[in-house]
């Protein structure tokens, strides 16, 4: 987008072969952008209105803006503090109803999903809200989800509760 507006772009890639989408890389090259591989920013310093970068390859570059895009890491502390079961990649494990390993705590959107899109997060939020509402408003023995997932356990619980009620009316 910067190239289309007459700006200059240098794309610095740590790997020897850029792993970006081939058509995006082709667009950058065609529009006159420079792709530097096997390099990283070693130092950065203000040089009047510009930023002077020295790269691990020995090159120096002056630029107005440095945009860092070096990947995504989940900040897992909150999830761990809540003792939620996590997937191997650090995302929150949810069931088909977006409920986490802790009853009554739901997770939607980027924190659990493979498809990280706004529309997906919105849609999941609505579904989770409906399931949460059902969970709050339905007695557990009428709850569709619980019946489906834990049918036998529920029947056992129901019998135990009924027996207890009969003993202590
Ligand atoms: C550069 C970039 C470009 C993107 N482009 C697109 C696009 O074009 N189209 C598209 O559909 N999607 C795009 N996405 C993905 C989209 O932004 C996400 O999928 C979407 O925002 C996920 O929504 P979310 O509510 O799950 O998470 P977020 O929008 O990340 O919201 C999570 C919120 O929780 C807050 N938070 C975090 N920790 C805590 C805490 N401990 N306590 C309280 N609050 C906390 C955060 O501050 C944040 O406000 C893009 C993402 C990025 C990074």
């Amino acid at each position: 987008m910067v190239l289309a507006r007459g700006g200059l772009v240098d794309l610095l890639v740590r790997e020897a072969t850029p792993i970006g989408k081939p058509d995006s890389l082709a667009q950058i090259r065609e529009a006159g952008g420079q792709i530097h591989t096997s390099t990283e920013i070693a130092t950065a310093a203000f040089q009047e209105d510009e930023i002077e970068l020295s790269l691990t390859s020995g090159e120096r570059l002056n630029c107005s803006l440095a945009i860092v895009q070096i990947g995504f890491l989940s900040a897992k502390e909150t999830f761990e503090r809540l003792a939620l079961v996590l997937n191997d990649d650090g995302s929150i494990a949810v069931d088909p109803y977006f409920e986490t390993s802790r009853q009554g705590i739901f997770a939607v959107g980027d924190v659990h999903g493979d498809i990280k899109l706004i529309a997906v997060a919105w849609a999941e939020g609505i579904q989770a809200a409906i399931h949460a509402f059902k969970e709050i408003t339905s007695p557990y023995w009428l709850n569709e989800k619980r019946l489906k997932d834990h049918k036998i356990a529920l029947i056992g619980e129901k019998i135990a509760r009924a027996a207890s009620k009969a003993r202590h009316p």
Side-chain angles (χ1 to χ4, degrees):
M1 289 192 315
V2 172
L3 288 164
R5 287 162 176 77
L8 300 174
V9 172
D10 286 272
L11 180 67
L12 311 177
V13 185
R14 280 183 291 197
E15 291 82 8
T17 309
I19 53 170
K21 283 199 325 208
D23 58 330
S24 302
L25 293 164
Q27 267 180 7
I28 292 169
R29 288 197 183 96
E30 279 162 26
Q34 298 292 316
I35 299 176
H36 309 253
T37 51
S38 306
T39 192
E40 285 182 57
I41 298 173
T43 63
F46 281 114
Q47 203 60 261
E48 295 178 1
D49 284 348
E50 294 196 316
I51 306 168
E52 188 183 61
L53 306 175
S54 62
L55 310 185
T56 50
S57 58
E59 282 178 276
R60 294 185 102 76
L61 278 179
N62 276 36
C63 61
S64 319
L65 281 173
I67 299 170
V68 182
Q69 180 63 292
I70 52 173
F72 300 97
L73 282 177
S74 295
K76 293 186 291 182
E77 298 75 36
T78 309
F79 311 160
E80 283 165 352
R81 192 164 39 80
L82 292 169
L84 301 177
V85 171
L86 303 182
N87 297 313
D88 290 342
D89 62 1
S91 61
I92 300 176
V94 292
D95 68 11
Y97 307 89
F98 305 102
E99 191 164 25
T100 65
S101 54
R102 287 188 61 184
Q103 193 181 350
I105 299 183
F106 293 76
V108 298
D110 284 8
V111 283
H112 87 84
D114 290 333
I115 306 168
K116 299 189 192 313
L117 287 174
I118 295 164
V120 172
W122 274 102
E124 289 181 355
I126 294 161
Q127 291 176 73
I130 291 167
H131 293 304
F133 182 74
K134 275 190 189 166
E135 191 150 304
I136 293 163
T137 53
S138 310
Y140 75 95
W141 59 88
L142 291 180
N143 188 309
E144 225 175 89
K145 167 183 185 295
R146 302 272 161 232
L147 275 177
K148 209 174 186 182
D149 294 349
H150 310 291
K151 214 181 252 173
I152 296 165
L154 277 170
I155 292 166
E157 266 182 51
K158 196 176 166 188
I159 292 168
R161 282 196 183 207
S164 162
K165 246 189 183 168
R167 277 199 305 273
H168 314 283

